[in-house]
């Protein structure tokens, strides 16, 4: 506690000595200063925007954009509006965020566990990974993936063929595109039913364990249900899902679905970089669990795998979640570096192209920053909810 | 008892035997650390295979097949080696940007003085470190400004900021960031913990908004909107705008680091200061802040490492920092060798890595010192 003076009892003497008066004066001065600065900035901005003929309202959002975007998840063309360009950018940012978070979590946890491995060479390799990647700027890593790794890949005609009809070349990653025919939605429904059935079984198994002490092979049941039910439906309906296999035609591929190199570079760079921080968070979390916990679990006769899954990781997660949230937020914010390699994310499309074309600097920047603020608040709200659920319940 | 039965009694001790090789020595070590279980053994084999696959190629690329001297023609013929001759040729440019060659000594001098001050400031057993802090945070910035930019008063020709660039800009951005963000961050942190509601709200809003948006948008904002907000005559210099953006951005992060230190202060420290009759600012300046800042030195260094890496983003507003100068050097059509791109990035990575890794080592060193201090 440092607010000592403000709490002190108002004593006699001059008014300047009175802490309450002084506090009020500080605050009034601050408010006056802010009002003065904001008013000055606003009037200056108004005159400047008029002089430069910049739009002062949000009407520009309804105008036709006139530019194309090569990677969109929603219908968009150059006759779409600026508002639609905004949505394209936002969805592209969210796409990178979601894929990046999944990928970076997998890599980060793997490397973090490897750092603690009793296997010397595995632990050292993980250390090299962490110390190399977190000490090199993300932008440099993105440029490296894009300009030094993906761009020099062979042209489509000499594509690197990967198993499963996937091709890698300097125009990106091309893979079979699933085509959903008649009755395909039944397969999707089968997946949902399988998951529901597995959840029901899990609940039943845990009740049975509590009352009788007998355990059930929950993992195997999940696996069996998830594989067999959709597969049976798929064949029973006469294979409604087909794949559009990419074929080389002339100088490029026809059919299939294409992921552009910009997206690959961005997701790869972001995930690999952020994972080096997550690895350290995971390591710190696991090390924060007292060794006595492991020993007690060993005394109960649990194996190494079950000790990790049932004793160490759940306790480590309490330490891991808050900094992990920060890393997820960093990843989403850092996806704005897309602008350097030309991936059409929110910043590149909206704060770049749209701002340049319309000149509506104040509005565009305000919207862009607001979007990131909302994403930040939303992500931390979800993680806080999860954090509360797993937090230590103290009496 | 027959005499001579005593012959079975050992009177001299055996010379010590070396431990069996399954308990000590490299073999035992390998068994414990590389092949403790079948799974571990498999991992070891995979890891060794991976290293054996990567390392020779790396050594070949960086050293044995690399072009150490020569010109563009030599590099064009070498397909699988780095082109260090290219780095040597472009070194002046990535170091100083377009700063006139005859004036390079001014940058060298500024950096040398800055380096001396930083070592003095960071070397924990150096004498009079408070003098160093005063020099570094107040005198040095003014001095460096006049030396690098020049002034008719001291007879040095003025070098326009549009010519500044290279590693020098990277260092400038980070040093300005830290010099401004430390005091501003302290004020924001105090504001966030103040009992005065308006001051607290303003501090929290500033910190949370700046931390919630990407650095690029802060730079964009400084670049595009700052000129709109101030009268036309005051339009800030093109280098000053990202500097302001960087400083504001770093301040918000620094504020959170300092807040952590303030929260770690035991209540008794404040009460002790109060008992001595010290006022708010006196107790902060003399008792609380010196201790709080010392505990968060590792955090401050981490923030600085982040800032140093983030300066690469100023390229987006047209500043030629180290990475940007290297990018433009890389695209020089006279040097169209097949490995120019990779060489440039490897070189940049090594430079950034040396700076950042060095700083992180310093941060770990102070952390260990702090722990040792607490153990007593």
């Amino acid at each position: 506690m440092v607010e000592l003076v403000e709490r002190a009892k108002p004593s006699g003497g001059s008014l300047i000595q009175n802490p309450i008066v002084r506090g009020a004066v500080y605050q009034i001065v601050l408010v006056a200063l802010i009002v003065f600065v904001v008013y000055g900035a606003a009037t200056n901005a108004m005159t400047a925007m008029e002089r430069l003929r910049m739009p002062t309202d949000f009407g520009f959002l309804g105008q036709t954009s006139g530019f194309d975007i090569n990677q969109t998840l929603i219908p968009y063309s150059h006759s779409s509006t600026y508002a639609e360009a905004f949505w394209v950018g936002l969805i592209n940012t969210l796409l990178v965020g979601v894929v990046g978070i999944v990928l970076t979590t997998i890599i980060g946890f793997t490397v973090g566990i490897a750092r603690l491995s009793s296997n010397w060479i595995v632990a050292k390799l993980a250390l090299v990974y962490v110390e190399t990647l977190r000490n090199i700027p993300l932008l440099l890593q993105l440029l490296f993936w894009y300009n030094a790794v993906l761009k020099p890949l062979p042209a489509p005609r000499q594509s690197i063929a990967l198993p499963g009809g996937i091709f890698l070349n300097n125009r990106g990653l091309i893979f079979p595109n699933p085509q959903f025919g008649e009755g395909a939605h039944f397969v999707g429904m089968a997946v949902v039913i399988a998951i529901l059935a597995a959840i029901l079984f899990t609940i039943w198994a845990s009740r049975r364990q509590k009352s009788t002490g007998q355990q059930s092979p929950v993992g195997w049941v999940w696996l069996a249900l998830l594989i067999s039910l959709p597969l049976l439906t798929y064949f029973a309906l006469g294979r409604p899902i087909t794949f559009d296999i990419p074929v080389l035609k002339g100088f490029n591929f026809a059919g299939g679905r294409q992921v552009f190199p910009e997206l690959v570079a961005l997701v790869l760079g972001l995930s690999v970089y952020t994972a080096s921080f997550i690895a350290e968070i995971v390591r710190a979390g696991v090390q924060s669990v007292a060794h006595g916990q492991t020993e007690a679990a060993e005394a109960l006769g649990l194996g190494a795998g079950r000790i990790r899954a049932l004793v160490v990781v759940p306790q480590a997660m309490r330490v891991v979640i808050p900094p992990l949230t920060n890393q997820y937020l960093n990843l989403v914010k850092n996806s704005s570096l897309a602008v350097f390699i030309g991936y059409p994310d929110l910043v590149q499309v909206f704060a770049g192209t749209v701002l340049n074309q319309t000149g509506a600097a104040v509005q565009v920047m305000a919207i862009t920053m607001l979007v990131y603020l909302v994403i930040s608040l939303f992500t931390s709200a979800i993680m806080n909810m999860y954090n509360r659920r797993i937090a230590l319940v103290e009496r | 008892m027959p005499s001579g039965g005593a012959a079975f009694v050992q009177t001299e001790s055996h010379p010590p035997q070396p431990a069996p090789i399954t308990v000590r020595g490299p073999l035992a070590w390998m068994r414990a650390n590389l092949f403790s279980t079948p799974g571990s053994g498999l991992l070891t084999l995979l890891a060794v295979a991976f290293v054996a696959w990567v390392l020779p190629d790396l050594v070949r690329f960086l050293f044995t097949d690399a072009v150490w001297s020569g010109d563009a023609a030599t590099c064009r013929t070498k397909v699988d080696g780095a082109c260090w001759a290219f780095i040597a040729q472009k070194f002046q440019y990535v170091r100083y940007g377009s700063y006139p060659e005859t004036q390079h000594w001014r940058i060298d001098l500024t950096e040398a003085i800055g380096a001396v001050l930083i070592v003095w400031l960071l070397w924990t057993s150096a004498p009079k470190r408070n003098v160093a802090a005063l020099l570094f945070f107040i005198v040095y910035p003014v001095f460096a400004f006049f030396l690098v930019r020049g002034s008719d008063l001291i007879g040095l020709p003025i070098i326009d900021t549009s010519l500044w660039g290279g590693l020098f800009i990277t260092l400038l951005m980070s040093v300005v960031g830290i010099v401004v963000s430390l005091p501003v961050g302290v004020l924001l942190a105090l504001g966030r913990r103040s009992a005065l509601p308006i001051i607290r709200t303003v501090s929290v809003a500033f910190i949370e908004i700046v931390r919630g948006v990407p650095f690029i948008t802060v730079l964009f904002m400084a670049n595009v909107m700052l000129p709109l907000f101030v009268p036309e005559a005051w339009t800030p210099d093109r280098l000053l705008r990202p500097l302001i953006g960087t400083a504001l951005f770093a301040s918000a992060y620094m504020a959170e680091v300092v807040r952590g230190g303030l929260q770690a202060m035991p209540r008794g420290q404040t009460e002790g200061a109060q008992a001595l009759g010290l006022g708010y600012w006196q107790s902060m300046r003399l008792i609380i802040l010196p201790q709080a800042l010392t505990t968060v030195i590792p955090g401050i260094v981490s923030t600085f490492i982040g800032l140093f890496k983030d300066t690469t983003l100023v390229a987006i507003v047209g500043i030629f920092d180290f990475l940007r100068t290297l990018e433009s050097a890389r695209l020089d059509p006279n040097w169209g060798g097949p490995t120019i791109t990779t060489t440039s990035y490897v070189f940049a990575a090594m430079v950034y890595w040396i700076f950042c890794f060095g700083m992180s080592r310093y941060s770990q060193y102070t952390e260990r010192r702090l722990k040792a201090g607490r153990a007593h």
Side-chain angles (χ1 to χ4, degrees):
Chain A
M1 286 288 148
V2 287
E3 66 276 15
L4 63 160
V5 174
E6 286 79 7
R7 284 261 193 85
K9 211 171 68 186
S11 55
S14 82
L15 220 51
I16 304 173
Q17 300 280 314
N18 185 325
I20 294 179
V21 174
R22 205 159 22 167
V25 168
Y26 280 150
Q27 304 205 64
I28 291 166
V29 168
L30 182 71
V31 170
L33 204 70
I34 290 175
V35 168
F36 174 74
V37 168
V38 168
Y39 178 77
T43 45
N44 273 324
M46 278 306 190
T47 47
M49 284 161 82
E50 243 163 62
R51 191 184 66 236
L52 301 165
R53 291 169 201 276
M54 294 160 102
T56 47
D57 59 0
F58 288 91
F60 70 94
L61 285 173
Q63 292 167 12
T64 308
S65 70
F67 65 90
D68 279 308
I69 303 174
N70 61 0
Q71 305 172 57
T72 62
L73 289 178
I74 55 171
Y76 174 88
S77 73
H78 59 272
S79 55
S80 302
T81 61
Y82 286 123
E84 282 168 301
F86 164 79
W87 286 112
V88 169
L90 176 60
I91 290 171
N92 278 346
T93 287
L94 293 176
L95 172 73
V96 170
V98 171
V99 179
I101 282 177
V102 171
L103 201 61
T104 199
T105 308
I106 297 170
I107 305 174
F109 272 75
T110 312
V111 176
I113 299 292
R115 279 279 265 125
L116 293 166
S117 169
S118 59
N119 187 311
W120 182 84
I121 190 163
V122 170
K124 286 292 173 243
L125 278 180
L127 176 74
V128 168
Y129 176 94
V130 169
E131 289 294 358
T132 310
L133 289 176
R134 70 171 181 176
N135 284 320
I136 294 173
L138 173 61
L139 176 58
L140 176 53
Q141 297 190 32
L142 288 181
L143 291 174
F144 173 80
W145 287 112
Y146 187 59
N147 288 326
V149 177
L150 295 174
K151 279 269 200 67
L153 283 174
R157 298 191 68 141
Q158 285 87 37
S159 290
I160 302 167
L162 300 170
I166 302 170
F167 296 93
L168 191 65
N169 57 44
N170 61 5
R171 297 200 193 161
L173 193 70
I174 297 137
F175 56 88
N177 193 13
Q179 304 284 315
F180 301 106
E182 188 76 27
H185 59 281
F186 284 113
V187 180
M189 274 162 67
V191 174
V192 175
I193 290 170
I195 291 175
L196 285 178
I199 290 175
L200 282 178
F201 178 78
T202 312
I203 295 171
W204 174 81
S206 98
R207 281 210 191 127
R208 176 160 163 259
Q209 189 182 356
K210 268 179 197 153
S211 56
T212 65
Q214 282 168 322
Q215 294 179 344
S216 321
V218 177
W220 289 111
V221 172
W222 269 88
L223 208 64
L225 274 174
L226 267 182
I227 291 177
S228 63
L229 210 56
L231 218 59
L232 281 176
T233 325
Y234 173 71
F235 283 109
L237 290 170
R239 306 195 208 177
I241 303 173
T242 51
F243 285 94
D244 179 15
I245 309 282
V247 207
L248 191 64
K249 275 209 183 121
F251 289 102
N252 206 350
F253 280 90
R257 205 176 168 86
Q258 188 177 8
V259 180
F260 289 82
E262 293 83 18
L263 177 60
V264 177
L266 187 63
V267 167
L268 210 60
L270 276 173
S271 313
V272 164
Y273 176 77
T274 315
S276 69
F277 292 90
I278 292 181
E280 286 300 273
I281 292 168
V282 170
R283 179 177 70 99
V286 171
Q287 282 180 339
S288 75
V289 178
H291 192 58
Q293 297 284 331
T294 311
E295 288 171 341
E298 269 167 9
L300 288 175
L302 293 184
R306 289 177 73 84
I307 292 177
R308 207 176 302 133
L310 298 173
V311 178
V312 177
V313 169
Q315 296 188 68
M317 284 315 269
R318 294 200 183 109
V319 181
V320 166
I321 293 291
L324 190 66
T325 313
N326 274 337
Q327 288 308 324
Y328 287 162
L329 291 178
N330 277 345
L331 187 142
V332 173
K333 282 188 281 173
N334 282 336
S335 71
S336 60
L337 267 62
V339 70
F340 283 95
I341 55 172
Y343 172 74
D345 81 322
L346 181 65
V347 170
Q348 206 256 353
V349 169
F350 199 60
T353 315
V354 172
L355 192 154
N356 280 338
Q357 286 195 5
T358 63
V362 178
Q363 299 93 315
V364 166
M365 287 318 296
I367 294 176
T368 311
M369 290 180 140
L370 204 64
V371 166
Y372 281 100
L373 276 178
V374 169
I375 294 176
S376 289
L377 293 176
F378 183 70
T379 313
S380 48
I382 290 183
M383 292 307 266
N384 281 339
M385 223 161 66
Y386 177 63
N387 198 20
R388 257 200 304 282
R389 216 170 65 77
I390 63 161
L392 201 62
V393 182
E394 284 178 333
R395 268 177 251 273
Chain B
M1 286 268 288
S3 63
F8 292 106
V9 176
Q10 176 84 25
T11 52
E12 280 165 22
S13 59
H14 268 296
Q17 296 280 315
I21 54 164
T22 51
V23 180
R24 285 190 60 175
L27 260 180
W29 180 88
M30 276 171 72
R31 221 166 97 163
N33 293 303
L34 297 177
F35 299 99
S36 54
T37 59
S40 178
L42 192 68
L43 275 179
T44 303
L45 293 182
L46 282 176
V48 169
F50 176 74
V51 172
W53 175 52
V54 170
L55 210 56
D57 278 351
L58 210 60
V59 171
R60 217 173 298 139
F61 181 83
L62 292 179
F63 303 106
T64 50
D65 278 1
V67 179
W68 293 92
S69 60
D71 54 6
T74 340
C75 282
R76 230 170 263 138
T77 56
K78 277 280 187 183
V79 197
D80 42 9
C83 177
W84 298 122
F86 163 76
I87 299 293
Q89 227 249 311
K90 298 286 180 186
F91 190 72
Q92 290 270 318
Y93 178 56
V94 298
R95 175 94 177 68
Y96 304 100
S98 309
Y99 206 86
E101 212 173 325
T102 52
Q103 308 292 318
H104 280 179
W105 63 270
R106 282 155 63 175
I107 290 180
D108 291 338
L109 184 62
T110 313
E111 287 178 358
I113 296 173
V116 169
L117 284 177
I118 287 176
V119 170
W120 185 3
L121 195 64
L122 296 186
W123 185 26
T124 39
S125 45
K128 296 237 183 278
R129 287 171 70 205
N130 49 353
V131 177
L134 194 77
L135 287 175
F136 183 71
F137 282 99
I138 295 167
V139 180
Y140 178 67
V142 180
F143 170 79
F145 175 78
F146 281 109
L147 189 59
V148 174
R149 186 170 174 276
S151 162
D152 294 332
L153 283 177
I154 48 173
L156 288 171
I158 293 178
I159 313 288
D160 191 75
T161 53
S162 60
L163 298 175
W164 301 15
L167 187 60
F168 162 64
I169 283 283
T170 296
L171 295 173
L172 174 82
M173 287 276 169
S174 350
V175 169
V176 169
I178 197 86
V179 166
V180 177
S181 74
L182 208 52
V184 177
V186 168
L187 283 181
L188 282 170
L190 292 177
R192 190 166 191 163
R193 289 172 56 80
S194 166
L196 306 170
I198 296 175
I199 289 184
R200 193 172 55 232
T201 315
V202 170
S203 308
V204 170
F206 177 84
I207 293 170
E208 292 302 332
I209 289 176
V210 173
R211 278 162 42 92
V213 300
F215 185 38
I216 284 193
T217 61
V218 176
L219 285 174
F220 264 145
M221 184 148 150
N223 201 45
V224 182
M225 284 159 79
L226 220 51
L228 294 178
F229 288 153
V230 298
E232 214 180 339
W234 294 8
T235 303
D237 180 84
R238 54 175 275 289
L239 184 62
L240 186 60
R241 286 180 240 164
L243 276 176
I244 294 173
T246 310
L248 290 181
F249 188 74
S251 301
Y253 281 83
M254 198 59 87
E256 288 298 271
V257 173
V258 176
R259 180 166 77 117
L262 289 176
Q263 280 175 350
M265 278 293 104
R267 202 189 159 82
Q269 296 291 329
T270 314
E271 290 168 346
Q274 228 165 349
L276 288 174
L278 295 181
Y280 177 79
W281 290 108
Q282 271 180 319
S283 71
M284 276 302 154
R285 189 169 61 82
L286 299 171
I287 313 273
I288 307 294
L289 278 176
Q291 299 184 67
L293 288 180
T294 316
T295 44
V296 293
I297 285 178
I300 294 175
V301 177
S302 309
T303 312
F304 188 62
I305 296 176
L307 181 65
F308 187 78
K309 288 188 290 179
D310 277 347
T311 55
T312 49
L313 305 194
V314 296
I316 199 72
V317 291
I319 306 294
F320 274 67
D321 75 319
F322 177 61
L323 188 56
R324 183 78 183 78
T325 48
L326 208 57
E327 273 285 281
S328 71
R330 170 177 86 83
L331 299 170
D332 181 351
N334 296 326
W335 285 84
T339 61
I340 294 293
T341 300
T342 315
T343 307
S344 309
Y345 290 147
V346 169
F347 175 67
M350 288 194 301
V351 170
Y352 280 108
W353 190 85
I354 289 169
F355 274 99
C356 296
F357 185 72
M359 288 189 275
S360 76
R361 285 290 115 157
Y362 177 77
S363 146
Q364 285 172 10
Y365 156 76
T366 54
E367 216 164 322
R368 271 197 305 276
R369 262 179 59 93
L370 279 173
K371 264 192 198 135
R374 285 211 193 100
H376 291 304

